[in-house]
Amino acid sequence: MSEVVAAVRELRPVLRERAQETEDLRRIPAESIEALRQAGFFKLLQPTRHGGLAADPLDFYRAVRLIASACGSTGWVSSVLGVHPWQLGLFAAQAQDDVWGEDQDARISSSYAPMGRATPVDGGFRFSGRWSFSSGCDHASWVFLGGLVLGDDGNPVDFRTFLLPLSDYKIEDVWDTVGLRGTGSNDILVDDVFVPEYRTLSFMDTGKCVCPGQAVNPDPLYKLPFASVFSYSIAVPVIGMATGAYESHVSYMAERVRASYGTKAAEDPYSQVRVAEAASDIDAAWLQLEHNIGEEYRLVVAGEKIPIALRLKVRRDQVRATTRSIGAVDKLFENSGGKALNVGTPIQRFWRDAHAGRVHAINDPERALAMFGKSELGLKVQDAWL
């Protein structure tokens, strides 16, 4: 859907201009969300039966990278809210109708950590809990929440995602951070509500790539592994932030004079090396992602099963992409001089935002790298995020 990507590209200047405002608000301005809606961004991964585009996932990630290169917080929230229509497409048809039946522009935020406790009752579950870090929740009327289903003995028997309407939860404004300040990633509170079973989805089903929504959404897009699609939706904004930091740094350094040495920064060979290293790391991060998700999509389009080896590779390169991007931003920030510390400069904002994105659990490198190494050494790998 090149038209949507092109429309998003045209929004970059205004999103860049709003970056400081976004930080000050501690949430994405409503005007930015509306502009992205009009561009068709939120429809990229939405099922066609509900007015979506069911696009190639690479179109979605390309758009996310562009948004994050203008404003890290806006890129983060756009990616999270934008990937949720894909996940809803995996739910039972009735759940999709509940959300989009009257409003095909309805949005969903999330917090997947299994902080909820669900007790089975007739037709569904009684559900309670408190969750942190629900990015963009102020722009959503539904939420995905992770929870453990408890058996008769009180021990967990399943890990599910629960879909709740705004009337069933409260948002507590607690988001006040040094990075990704504009994401409005506030807490969600749920106090003993009923969730019908059809508005839940087991992580075991998503891991097997066999979900009820595929009965009504046969497009190849909905046969991709959850861990691949979601993990890249968290990594790509960081690649986008690194891209934005690079663009800002090169533009700034081309004009900067280094007072300590009385020379133009652009003529400094050490600065030139840092620029080259950062550019290479950012390119490597993106190219591996592009190759891996492209290969997964090619397989599902052909009706073939995605091998575990490729799924492990996706997770390996996803965390490496984050690591490379952080390294690139660090090189550029260290090379920018004292004035880069000023509040309002793009480079310090990208530096803070990228490091904030890194602390998301899905970006932890050790777990994903250990899974890959374990498999390569002939050991069995079992993980919900594979």
Side-chain angles (χ1 to χ4, degrees), residues 48 72 201 227 254 261 365:
T48 55
L201 187 65
Y261 306 110

Side-chain angles (χ1 to χ4, degrees), residues 54-314:
D56 183 323
L58 275 173
D59 286 327
F60 173 72
Y61 296 127
R62 289 184 183 108
V64 168
R65 184 184 182 187
L66 287 168
I67 298 166
S69 71
C71 173
S73 288
T74 305
W76 185 273
V77 169
S78 298
S79 193
V80 171
L81 295 184
V83 79
H84 290 154
W86 174 83
Q87 187 183 2
L88 183 55
L90 306 180
F91 275 68
Q94 189 172 352
Q96 299 174 49
D97 293 343
D98 285 356
V99 175
W100 290 317
E102 294 184 2
D103 181 8
Q104 292 187 338
D105 290 322
R107 289 181 290 272
I108 309 164
S109 68
S110 69
S111 185
Y112 292 106
M115 304 305 295
R117 296 297 180 266
T119 303
V121 294
D122 187 30
F125 304 89
R126 301 301 305 185
F127 192 52
S128 297
R130 183 188 184 109
W131 295 258
S132 297
F133 316 128
S134 187
S135 300
C137 56
D138 290 318
H139 300 290
S141 53
W142 293 77
V143 68
F144 286 135
L145 298 171
L148 299 175
V149 178
L150 306 179
D152 293 337
D153 59 359
N155 291 319
V157 296
D158 196 5
F159 176 21
R160 289 179 174 249
T161 299
F162 294 76
L163 172 65
L164 282 70
L166 183 58
S167 58
D168 282 354
Y169 62 92
K170 295 180 180 179
I171 299 172
E172 186 170 328
D173 186 351
V174 298
W175 189 248
D176 190 7
T177 57
V178 297
L180 293 177
R181 284 185 58 81
T183 61
S185 303
N186 289 306
D187 284 6
I188 302 293
L189 285 71
V190 175
D191 184 16
D192 190 29
V193 302
F194 173 73
V195 182
E197 185 169 6
Y198 72 85
R199 281 208 254 116
T200 72
L201 187 65
S202 172
F203 263 80
M204 289 187 289
D205 291 341
T206 60
K208 296 174 183 175
C209 298
V210 178
C211 298
Q214 293 168 344
V216 292
N217 299 319
D219 301 272
L221 177 65
Y222 305 101
K223 296 179 175 64
L224 291 168
F226 175 84
S228 297
V229 175
F230 181 77
S231 66
Y232 272 152
S233 73
I234 296 301
V236 170
V238 182
I239 300 175
M241 295 168 208
T243 304
Y246 180 84
E247 293 172 347
S248 298
H249 179 77
V250 169
S251 176
Y252 170 62
M253 294 296 280
E255 303 298 328
R256 179 187 172 208
V257 174
R258 303 193 69 176
S260 299
Y261 306 110
T263 59
K264 291 184 176 180
E267 296 173 352
D268 182 353
Y270 304 113
S271 293
Q272 295 162 1
V273 169
R274 285 177 178 253
V275 166
E277 290 176 339
S280 178
D281 286 339
I282 296 167
D283 283 350
W286 177 256
L287 289 171
Q288 282 190 312
L289 179 154
E290 195 172 41
H291 172 79
N292 291 340
I293 203 69
E295 180 63 13
E296 282 198 342
Y297 192 60
R298 183 192 67 77
L299 288 170
V300 294
V301 168
E304 300 177 28
K305 185 177 180 180
I306 298 173
I308 291 297
L310 179 54
R311 292 166 69 158
L312 284 163
K313 188 177 178 182
V314 165

Side-chain angles (χ1 to χ4, degrees), residues 3-23:
E3 317 85 48
V4 175
V5 177
V8 166
R9 188 184 301 276
E10 291 180 2
L11 289 175
R12 285 214 312 164
V14 69
L15 296 178
R16 191 180 295 115
E17 289 173 6
R18 288 189 188 135
Q20 188 59 51
E21 176 190 357
T22 300
E23 280 215 331

